[in-house]
Amino acid sequence: MTPSAPDGPVPRGRSRRNFAGARPVMADVARMAGVSKQTVSRVLNEHPAVRAETREAVLDAMRTLGYRPSRSARSLASGRTRMLGVISFDAARYGPASILTAINTAALEAGYLVSSIALDTADHDTVVEAVNRLSAEGADGVIAIAPQLWVGRTLAEATDLGTPLVVLENALDDETALVTGDSRTGARKATEHLLGLGHATVWHIAGPTGWTSADHRLTSWQSTLRTAGAAVPDPLVGDWSAGSGYDLGRRLARRPEVTAVFASNDQMALGLLHALHEAGRSVPGEVSVVGYDDIPEAAHFLPPLTTVRTDFAEIGTRALRLLVDRIDGPGERPHVDTLVPVDLVVRASSAAPPVR
């Protein structure tokens, strides 16, 4: 004989078993609340057509039974998987890694899971394969951390037109939302800071050609020098690594006219500091150095690094919120450009030039 359900409420945090001994399901909630399963589904998905008293009856039944809706039940009821896809490149670097962490945190708060694909290479077929995989998993939307313009375009072309897409770094078209740090303003602030200290000009170690943030910092550095009437030296192009900053820094260290250098990220600035120290060029006594990103270690370089702070957590959080808004309002998809402000953090690596 099947035992009857015990009387009285179940303490919160514990699940009452249904008559068959299993955990409560939607049908049990509907039976206790005196409504249909469709009504329970509508309550779970916050449908506006449910009357307030009916909604409260269903919620009360869920609390009494200790009912916890499964993700699959929500998916069937809403037509959504509650899963978001994220495609990233060079995810080991501080910036992309910090953005991914922020996206995961914000997604959890919004009731979504995240399926992340980190790509080592950015060739066309690999990008398309990543998009196809997320589509097969039923991603409700996709965030792409696309550092190169052509990568972003490939993602936009490969993504189903019905799938909301938010891209970091690259503005693509009228359907794609953009979230990025304000690299142009950051480079201008770094260059103006060094010129304001009295340096005749500023040299630049740029990031890889074709990377949107590197290109924006390069062009902004050039335009800031021209506006100030300063000479514009030929930029030196690195690959974001401390090793490339060191190699290029050795070349700069041999040039006595170099008194100020703006590096496009903190890792290259670290390599530059190493090269200058090795060559006997004191920082900031002979050469001032400014980096970009404000990685956690920047305050502990020798000397502590003046740099442009990018709020990567804010970039990731804004990207997630923007994607969820597009999922919730699929008919409203105006183009959105979101520039996250940056700040110049002045430390001991920058000072007035030496007196000649």
Side-chain angles (χ1 to χ4, degrees):
M1 181 177 179
T2 302
S4 60
D7 295 328
V10 177
R12 184 168 297 183
R14 296 178 55 191
S15 294
R16 167 180 284 174
R17 303 285 177 171
N18 65 12
F19 296 156
R23 288 189 179 277
V25 295
M26 190 182 294
D28 300 320
V29 176
R31 186 181 303 112
M32 176 171 283
V35 299
S36 66
K37 288 196 295 183
Q38 183 181 22
T39 299
V40 175
S41 174
R42 287 176 175 172
V43 171
L44 288 173
N45 290 282
E46 301 180 355
H47 196 286
V50 181
R51 291 182 300 176
E53 58 269 25
T54 301
R55 185 185 307 277
E56 186 54 39
V58 171
L59 293 175
D60 184 62
M62 290 170 60
R63 287 190 290 266
T64 300
L65 291 171
Y67 174 73
R68 296 292 182 271
S70 67
R71 185 167 296 275
S72 59
R74 285 182 177 272
S75 298
L76 288 173
S78 65
R80 299 178 185 172
T81 62
R82 306 294 295 184
M83 187 273 286
L84 305 176
V86 177
I87 301 174
S88 65
F89 302 83
D90 205 10
R93 288 197 302 117
Y94 173 71
S98 300
I99 291 171
L100 279 173
T101 299
I103 289 172
N104 276 280
T105 300
L108 184 62
E109 293 174 354
Y112 284 87
L113 292 179
V114 173
S115 178
S116 300
I117 300 178
L119 301 180
D120 295 326
T121 59
D123 62 88
H124 180 275
D125 291 344
T126 302
V127 172
V128 173
E129 182 181 351
V131 172
N132 290 340
R133 174 180 154 187
L134 292 175
S135 297
E137 292 178 357
D140 292 331
V142 175
I143 296 174
I145 306 174
Q148 296 159 291
L149 184 57
W150 75 264
V151 173
R153 286 175 176 161
T154 300
L155 285 164
E157 293 169 0
T159 304
D160 184 348
L161 291 177
T163 302
L165 174 66
V166 173
V167 175
L168 278 62
E169 299 292 348
N170 291 304
L172 304 174
D173 52 41
D174 291 340
E175 292 294 319
T176 306
L178 165 72
V179 182
T180 185
D182 193 353
S183 284
R184 291 186 177 90
T185 297
R188 177 180 56 78
K189 287 183 176 182
T191 307
E192 288 179 343
H193 168 68
L194 291 167
L195 292 174
L197 291 171
H199 295 274
T201 190
V202 179
W203 295 69
H204 184 45
I205 297 180
T209 302
W211 289 61
T212 307
S213 58
D215 292 346
H216 288 175
R217 291 166 199 173
L218 171 63
T219 57
S220 181
W221 161 75
Q222 290 172 327
S223 64
T224 303
L225 290 178
R226 293 192 185 102
T227 299
V232 182
D234 291 333
L236 289 77
V237 179
D239 63 6
W240 299 126
S241 71
S244 70
Y246 172 76
D247 291 338
L248 297 172
R250 293 180 65 188
R251 292 165 55 182
L252 291 172
R254 292 194 292 266
R255 307 188 64 155
E257 72 272 24
V258 174
T259 66
V261 184
F262 163 46
S264 196
N265 79 336
D266 289 346
Q267 284 88 351
M268 292 192 297
L270 174 61
L272 169 64
L273 290 174
H274 180 191
L276 292 170
H277 174 77
E278 192 173 75
R281 303 285 302 274
S282 68
V283 178
E286 294 181 66
V287 182
S288 289
V289 175
V290 175
Y292 204 105
D293 286 342
D294 195 25
I295 63 176
E297 298 81 6
H300 305 285
F301 287 2
L302 192 61
L305 183 66
T306 296
T307 185
V308 178
R309 176 179 295 158
T310 300
D311 193 341
F312 294 110
E314 181 66 15
I315 292 174
T317 300
R318 288 196 190 189
L320 190 284
R321 290 173 180 168
L322 182 55
L323 182 61
V324 171
D325 286 345
R326 293 204 153 200
I327 293 170
D328 291 340
E332 302 175 4
R333 302 181 65 173
H335 179 71
V336 176
D337 282 352
T338 301
L339 283 178
V340 176
V342 296
D343 296 305
L344 181 69
V345 181
V346 179
R347 298 193 179 101
S349 68
S350 57
V355 177
R356 301 281 184 192

